Amino acid sequence: MIQHRQTLKNISFILLFILLIIGLSNSSHAASNIFLTEEERAYIAKKGVIKAVSLDGVAPIQYSDKNKEVQGISKRVLQEISAITGLTFEYTLYGSLREVFESNAEIAFGIPNNYAPPDMILSKPYLRSETILYINAAQDPNNLDNKIYAAVRGSALPKGIKEENSIYFETREQSLDAVEAGRADYGYGNAYSVAFYTLQNGYKNLVTIPKGKEARAYCIGFFHEDEILISIINKALSEIGENQLQNLVLDVAAQVERKITFSMVINRYGKEITFIIIGVLSILLFAITSNVKANKTLRMNNRRYEVLSEISNEYLFEYFTKTNRLQLSESFIQQIGTQENLNEANRILKNMLANTAADRQYFEIKLPLANGEVGIFKVIHLSVNDDNGNLVSIIGKVVNISDEAAKREELANKALLDGLTGLYNAITTKELIQTAICSRQEKQRIDAFILIDLDYFKDINDTHGHLAGDNVLLQLGKVLKQSFRTTDIIGRIGGDEFCIYMPNIPSLDFVKTRCQKVSTLINTAIEDIPVTISVGITLVDQDMGYEEIFKSADEVLYQAKRDGRNQIVAWVEK
């Protein structure tokens, strides 16, 4: 068991280099993956720099580094949003929540849901954290009644903690320092910040205990009700996958710069200093201090990797190529479940690792899970070579991205369809019709293009309300699906305007019959509201392009409206 744990620690040690090499590349996005409305794109084009503010001293979520530059997970999330959408942000950190909420900014980032004012609109969460109890080592965690609680000014006190027993500090780091020094007895904080400052400041009087109290969801808060900006940012947050966020968190957390103080040096290296004082030879002193520094770095790195592994929920593996042996972490084996599933997962992983290209550090696979489902996993790996350059093993991590893959597929489908009717939207409809036109090879083939417009649709909205109007559009979409063939392209291209492209029709009468069926069904589908349609039909000539076809159908559609509406007019009849 000890050997097994040591192996996993060694794997974690090497894995950080993988994450540092490829973490940033995995978190890049292309703006083309997000579906934005024309109104949202115009908003982005006109929008200037957005002022974004937050509370300082909440590393690694957000903080100022030694150069007074804003850093942290929240800033990296906003940078991802900027890369996805084209929005530009200006970052400012304040020393207190009061200054944050009194600023003239447009958004506040890295705001926990329980810190936000009641009237602040919050985005969907991009980061969640469990609460960690941190106490002074001299205190009993089971007897904290009437002990001094270290609170962050501006945040609500946890349930059961009295105001008279609380001391307020401006930042989370200050509250941790107070508990470390004994000026306060205990406090609660998010797991990321507690781990970060524990590593950075080398606390030795602090004990941390996971608690299910006050789970926190970090969001972007909006000071004003800007619906378009809220929509754009929420869409961008949906594009940032869970695995991508994990790599981002790891990359930020791995940049901990540990503070070295005089008392820390004395406490940790007192024996070495005493040994120096009594007169060790200078050359031996040099060797000892070099070795101590190396050991200190190794201990600090090992502790860092353990903390990062816990908060990233990653599954580690090592594949020994010469013996064809695959060693998996216990947590991953639990995910797989049965021995049959484990054998299948071993076979798939070994095959992919043995045949992957040397320069390929990432691939996706499907593996059976303990619950009977099939999960989609992302595999990140790196080769380990000996001093002669010979391959010794392949180490890496496996991340379950099933939810992320499902969301990607769902977003891709939504980008093609009209949200109300479920028909193709205007952009998709045009692209499909243009493809169909270009693919026409039989000169004798007859295609038809149809434009349909609801008569007096504005009057329906004004008289019966927009919900009734939406229902009419929804019912017309259903009727169109019932009336036309599965090979026909049906789309909603405007508010109350629809079009159909019918390839390879037998005759014009065939098209008219389908249109008449639509007219009859829609008139009877809506109770208490008379609904009629005007229809314009044009036959597609071999040399006609999309714009010319649309113009022809549009002209006869308006001819139908001029003739009194509730008409079906074809171009050949004009």
Side-chain angles (χ1 to χ4, degrees):
M1 179 61 72
I2 294 175
Q3 184 178 4
H4 178 68
R5 290 178 180 173
Q6 186 61 43
T7 301
L8 289 181
K9 288 183 178 180
N10 293 338
I11 293 174
S12 298
F13 178 82
I14 303 174
L15 182 59
L16 181 62
F17 292 96
I18 302 173
L19 296 170
L20 293 176
I21 294 170
I22 66 178
L24 292 176
S25 64
N26 282 343
S27 60
S28 63
H29 266 280
S32 60
N33 290 337
I34 187 172
F35 176 74
L36 297 174
T37 65
E38 290 298 325
E39 184 180 16
E40 289 170 340
R41 294 182 185 277
Y43 178 96
I44 293 170
K46 294 180 180 179
K47 188 67 175 175
V49 176
I50 299 173
K51 293 184 178 180
V53 298
S54 195
L55 177 66
D56 198 359
V58 195
I61 298 173
Q62 67 267 342
Y63 64 100
S64 298
D65 63 16
K66 62 183 179 182
N67 298 319
K68 304 302 180 184
E69 293 290 330
V70 179
Q71 303 292 348
I73 297 168
S74 295
K75 178 183 177 182
R76 292 287 297 276
V77 170
L78 286 178
Q79 288 175 330
E80 289 296 318
I81 293 174
S82 179
I84 293 170
T85 64
L87 292 171
T88 303
F89 301 96
E90 176 183 287
Y91 312 97
T92 304
L93 296 182
Y94 291 102
S96 69
L97 284 171
R98 179 184 59 79
E99 293 175 289
V100 171
F101 296 132
E102 290 179 359
S103 68
N104 62 347
E106 294 183 65
I107 64 172
F109 57 94
I111 296 297
N113 53 348
N114 57 336
Y115 278 41
D119 58 345
M120 174 171 277
I121 301 172
L122 297 178
S123 72
K124 61 177 62 177
Y126 59 83
L127 185 67
R128 298 181 186 275
S129 173
E130 293 297 324
T131 300
I132 296 293
L133 167 66
Y134 53 93
I135 65 173
N136 187 279
Q139 301 299 323
D140 180 2
N142 297 315
N143 185 21
L144 296 177
D145 293 340
N146 299 320
K147 298 297 182 181
I148 303 301
Y149 175 74
V152 175
R153 195 180 309 279
S155 63
L157 290 176
K159 185 177 180 181
I161 295 177
K162 300 176 182 179
E163 182 75 27
E164 60 266 30
N165 293 335
S166 302
I167 299 178
Y168 286 88
F169 301 92
E170 296 298 339
T171 67
R172 177 62 60 205
E173 184 178 18
Q174 291 176 9
S175 70
L176 285 160
D177 289 342
V179 175
E180 164 73 8
R183 298 194 305 273
D185 298 320
Y186 73 105
Y188 289 104
N190 72 78
Y192 295 97
S193 293
V194 173
F196 185 96
Y197 289 120
T198 299
L199 287 174
Q200 176 181 272
N201 299 335
Y203 297 135
K204 65 185 182 70
N205 297 323
L206 215 62
V207 176
T208 58
I209 305 171
K211 290 285 184 181
K213 190 170 186 175
E214 281 192 327
R216 300 176 185 183
Y218 289 86
C219 310
I220 295 171
F222 301 87
F223 288 101
H224 309 291
E225 190 172 351
D226 189 340
E227 294 182 357
I228 299 179
L229 180 60
I230 295 170
S231 173
I232 294 171
I233 287 181
N234 275 327
K235 287 182 179 180
L237 288 175
S238 297
E239 280 293 299
I240 302 176
E242 180 65 22
N243 179 62
Q244 178 189 355
L245 182 59
Q246 292 282 2
N247 284 338
L248 186 151
V249 170
L250 287 170
D251 185 61
V252 172
Q255 299 175 19
V256 179
E257 296 181 2
R258 189 168 186 182
K259 295 180 181 177
I260 303 297
T261 64
F262 178 75
S263 61
M264 186 185 301
V265 174
I266 293 297
N267 289 333
R268 180 163 294 195
Y269 305 115
K271 291 182 179 180
E272 287 82 353
I273 294 175
T274 301
F275 196 59
I276 293 171
I277 293 175
I278 64 176
V280 176
L281 295 175
S282 59
I283 188 169
L284 181 59
L285 173 63
F286 175 81
I288 291 175
T289 50
S290 297
N291 184 60
V292 168
K293 288 181 180 180
N295 288 336
K296 182 193 71 172
T297 301
L298 181 60
R299 287 195 303 271
M300 189 169 65
N301 282 338
N302 284 340
R303 188 180 178 195
R304 177 183 296 163
Y305 305 145
E306 291 172 359
V307 173
L308 294 179
S309 180
E310 290 175 4
I311 66 175
S312 65
N313 194 30
E314 60 194 17
Y315 309 121
L316 308 178
F317 69 85
E318 183 166 12
Y319 175 53
F320 300 92
T321 53
K322 291 184 178 179
T323 59
N324 194 32
R325 183 170 64 90
L326 181 63
Q327 181 174 321
L328 303 171
S329 65
E330 290 295 333
S331 55
F332 183 60
I333 293 174
Q334 292 174 5
Q335 282 277 311
I336 298 301
T338 66
Q339 185 61 46
E340 182 180 357
N341 286 351
L342 185 60
N343 292 340
E344 178 66 9
N346 268 277
R347 185 190 64 79
I348 295 173
L349 260 174
K350 286 180 180 179
N351 182 63
M352 291 297 296
L353 291 170
N355 295 286
T356 190
D359 59 347
R360 186 184 177 196
Q361 298 176 331
Y362 157 80
F363 58 81
E364 291 184 6
I365 57 174
K366 294 182 179 180
L367 297 176
L369 301 178
N371 60 8
E373 298 179 356
V374 175
I376 300 177
F377 290 83
K378 184 175 185 178
V379 181
I380 304 171
H381 63 89
L382 188 69
S383 298
V384 179
N385 299 323
D386 60 20
D387 294 339
N388 297 323
N390 299 317
L391 180 64
V392 175
S393 66
I394 299 174
I395 59 99
K397 71 172 184 176
V398 181
V399 181
N400 191 330
I401 60 169
S402 301
D403 291 341
E404 179 185 339
K407 289 178 182 178
R408 284 202 308 259
E409 184 176 355
E410 181 182 354
L411 288 172
N413 290 333
K414 286 182 179 179
L416 300 176
L417 303 179
D418 172 59
L420 176 61
T421 63
L423 303 175
Y424 290 122
N425 60 31
I427 296 175
T428 306
T429 301
K430 182 177 179 180
E431 291 175 350
L432 291 175
I433 292 175
Q434 286 177 324
T435 300
I437 293 171
C438 293
S439 65
R440 283 170 52 94
Q441 296 179 349
E442 303 173 21
K443 293 185 177 180
Q444 302 302 320
R445 193 181 90 177
I446 305 175
D447 294 356
F449 181 79
I450 307 163
L451 279 179
I452 296 178
D453 197 85
L454 280 162
D455 297 331
Y456 304 109
F457 183 66
K458 183 178 183 301
D459 293 342
I460 294 175
N461 279 330
D462 293 343
T463 304
H464 301 279
H466 288 280
L467 287 178
D470 287 348
N471 185 50
V472 170
L473 294 171
L474 179 62
Q475 295 302 323
L476 180 54
K478 292 181 179 179
V479 168
L480 290 174
K481 290 179 181 178
Q482 295 172 9
S483 303
F484 288 93
R485 305 169 299 181
T486 57
T487 56
D488 299 334
I489 301 170
I490 309 172
R492 181 186 177 198
I493 58 175
D496 62 338
E497 194 170 30
F498 298 78
C499 79
I500 304 95
Y501 188 88
M502 301 182 68
N504 198 19
I505 60 170
S507 65
L508 179 59
D509 288 338
F510 177 79
V511 180
K512 287 183 177 180
T513 300
R514 297 298 175 115
C515 294
Q516 187 59 54
K517 181 180 179 181
V518 174
S519 180
T520 302
L521 290 177
I522 192 60
N523 192 37
T524 58
I526 311 295
E527 296 182 1
D528 303 327
I529 302 177
V531 179
T532 62
I533 58 173
S534 295
V535 181
I537 305 170
T538 186
L539 297 181
V540 180
D541 185 81
Q542 181 69 26
D543 299 323
M544 296 174 71
Y546 177 81
E547 302 298 336
E548 185 180 356
I549 294 170
F550 189 95
K551 181 179 179 182
S552 298
D554 195 47
E555 288 183 10
V556 291
L557 172 63
Y558 278 92
Q559 180 64 48
K561 289 182 174 292
R562 287 193 294 269
D563 290 346
R565 292 183 167 81
N566 196 19
Q567 303 284 328
I568 298 173
V569 179
W571 176 263
V572 295
E573 295 179 344
K574 188 172 177 225

